[in-house]
Amino acid sequence: MNSPAPGTTRYLCPLECGWRHEVPPPSVDRIAELGVTADPAARDFSEAVTSIAHRACLTEAQQTEAALREHLATHTTEQFVRVIHDLRVEVATLQEHPVSSEEKTG
């Protein structure tokens, strides 16, 4: 798996299928890509810049949610159940045999 550009947020599939969604770091270019504009009701420059930042954040979150939902729809209920079962087994194993701090660093 390639390393993303510094500042990139990477979302991975919780079923560990290898899918990922990467959100680049905030930048003027990224705001332009998102097509975000200032709130026309902004009273001054500061409010306009703040409204652009808020709108860019909201747009990015909406796009990320849509990408996650679209991807998760490609998995079956059986796959989700299998992963949940495997995680429960792993948690039970860890509870029975906790890892000591020496084992973690060793």
Side-chain angles (χ1 to χ4, degrees), residues 23-93:
V23 178
S27 68
V28 173
D29 291 337
R30 183 64 183 154
I31 289 171
E33 288 173 21
L34 294 171
V36 175
T37 58
D39 182 348
R43 293 174 290 183
D44 58 28
F45 180 76
S46 179
E47 275 191 19
V49 170
T50 300
S51 72
I52 290 171
H54 286 150
R55 288 176 171 200
C57 184
L58 178 62
T59 301
E60 202 74 82
Q62 290 170 333
Q63 289 181 0
T64 297
E65 180 180 6
L68 288 167
R69 287 182 182 277
E70 182 180 317
H71 172 71
L72 291 175
T74 68
H75 288 291
T76 65
T77 301
E78 180 182 345
Q79 290 172 314
F80 282 101
V81 170
R82 188 177 308 122
V83 168
I84 290 167
H85 172 266
D86 292 347
L87 289 171
R88 285 182 175 168
V89 168
E90 187 175 339
V91 167
T93 302

Side-chain angles (χ1 to χ4, degrees), residues 1 9-23 63-75:
M1 191 180 301
T9 302
R10 179 179 278 178
Y11 297 89
L12 304 175
C13 177
L15 301 184
E16 298 180 346
C17 70
W19 176 89
R20 65 181 181 255
H21 175 74
E22 295 181 348
V23 178
Q63 289 181 0
T64 297
E65 180 180 6
L68 288 167
R69 287 182 182 277
E70 182 180 317
H71 172 71
L72 291 175
T74 68
H75 288 291

